[in-house]
Amino acid sequence: MTVRNTYASGEPCWADLQTPDVAAAKDFYGRLFGWTYQDFPTPDGRSYAQASVRGQLVATIAPQNHLQLKAGTAAKWNVYFAAVNAADLLQEAGHAGGTAQFGPEKVGDTGVLGFIAPPGGGTTGIWEAGTHYGSGLFDEPGALAWAELFTPQPQAAVGFFQQLFGHEVTEYPQDDGGSYSTLLIDGSEVAGVVPAGQGEEADWEIYFGVADVALAAAAAQAAGGEVLVEPDEHQADGSLATIKDPQGGVLNLIQVQGDSGT
């Protein structure tokens, strides 16, 4: 088990779930990933849960705000990129052709958060670390492993992230004539940018690691979720599945090597 205690600027470092039912989400993801939890109060008298794997913090399950609850909004996973200075990035977002959507907001001594979006959309969290750097594990069972943005403006989105974070880029031509782009930090791929399908809105696809994707998909279904994309028949590291939790939160599973986990 490799513990992470720092992330480079522009590297996905954290994911959290906003859900209409924190208790139900805790049960579902506990059964899926073996997460254990510590609960904390919110200012409005509700609570959120920090999720851990083998003693390492890997995610947060938080209640939706009252407007989301009133609208009946489905649960949603958010991804956050590490930032040296969240306020500067929020200011730069407009100059790079995107938008600053929220923040900066200081979260006690843990850090500063904000939300930005590249051209074409796709809400993206940014996190300036204080005492909390991000996920204590990465690319291991039960932890964040990858993220990719589906967008109708892929090249504009790539340029946006390059301007904000200095990402290098690798292009992978696809059979349909499009291109799958990866964002790199110090030569390592950290996230993907994918052309969205006709009529699709921009959104992030978030991937959590599992040791066996078929077993994990079955566990998700047994816990009351839905398997949207079944695992490949012949599995290996990198095999994928897509699930939806009972509150509507969509998450991708990717088979990774690791010490233990589902």
Side-chain angles (χ1 to χ4, degrees):
M1 179 175 70
T2 302
V3 176
R4 294 290 300 265
N5 57 18
T6 186
Y7 286 87
S9 175
E11 192 176 6
C13 64
W14 185 246
D16 64 22
L17 176 71
Q18 283 186 292
T19 179
D21 192 332
V22 170
K26 286 172 60 180
D27 178 70
F28 176 82
Y29 289 101
R31 293 167 68 180
L32 175 60
F33 293 128
W35 283 352
T36 58
Y37 300 102
Q38 186 173 3
D39 295 323
F40 296 89
T42 61
D44 61 7
R46 297 181 293 171
S47 66
Y48 70 94
Q50 291 184 345
S52 295
V53 170
R54 304 191 298 281
Q56 297 298 322
L57 186 62
V58 293
T60 297
I61 297 175
Q64 291 179 332
N65 63 45
H66 293 292
L67 289 177
Q68 291 169 321
L69 289 170
K70 186 176 180 179
T73 305
K76 183 169 179 17
W77 281 94
N78 303 300
V79 66
Y80 297 80
F81 280 63
V84 173
N85 188 305
D88 285 352
L89 277 181
L90 285 159
Q91 187 173 22
E92 181 65 21
H95 300 306
T99 57
Q101 297 180 318
F102 176 83
E105 181 173 289
K106 189 173 183 181
V107 187
D109 64 353
T110 62
V112 180
L113 69 79
F115 286 97
I116 58 176
T123 295
T124 307
I126 53 174
W127 181 254
E128 176 188 336
T131 59
H132 172 59
Y133 287 95
S135 181
L137 302 175
F138 194 91
D139 199 29
E140 295 200 24
L144 179 64
W146 184 249
E148 56 193 15
L149 176 67
F150 283 75
T151 172
Q153 298 184 36
Q155 293 308 309
V158 166
F160 174 83
F161 290 113
Q162 284 185 292
Q163 184 167 333
L164 262 61
F165 295 108
H167 288 121
E168 302 165 324
V169 178
T170 298
E171 301 286 349
Y172 295 94
Q174 303 296 294
D175 292 339
D176 61 4
S179 180
Y180 181 95
S181 306
T182 58
L183 307 177
L184 292 80
I185 297 291
D186 294 331
S188 296
E189 295 178 328
V190 297
V193 178
V194 188
Q198 184 70 29
E200 292 182 344
E201 296 184 358
D203 202 6
W204 281 97
E205 295 278 349
I206 299 171
Y207 295 75
F208 269 67
V210 293
D212 185 307
V213 71
L215 289 178
Q221 194 164 33
E226 181 181 354
V227 179
L228 302 179
V229 179
E230 295 281 352
D232 295 333
E233 182 179 355
H234 302 290
Q235 297 162 50
D237 288 346
S239 294
L240 306 173
T242 304
I243 63 167
K244 182 166 69 174
D245 70 35
Q247 287 71 50
V250 176
L251 189 66
N252 297 285
L253 309 176
I254 182 168
Q255 188 161 307
V256 299
Q257 295 182 344
D259 294 339
S260 63
T262 303

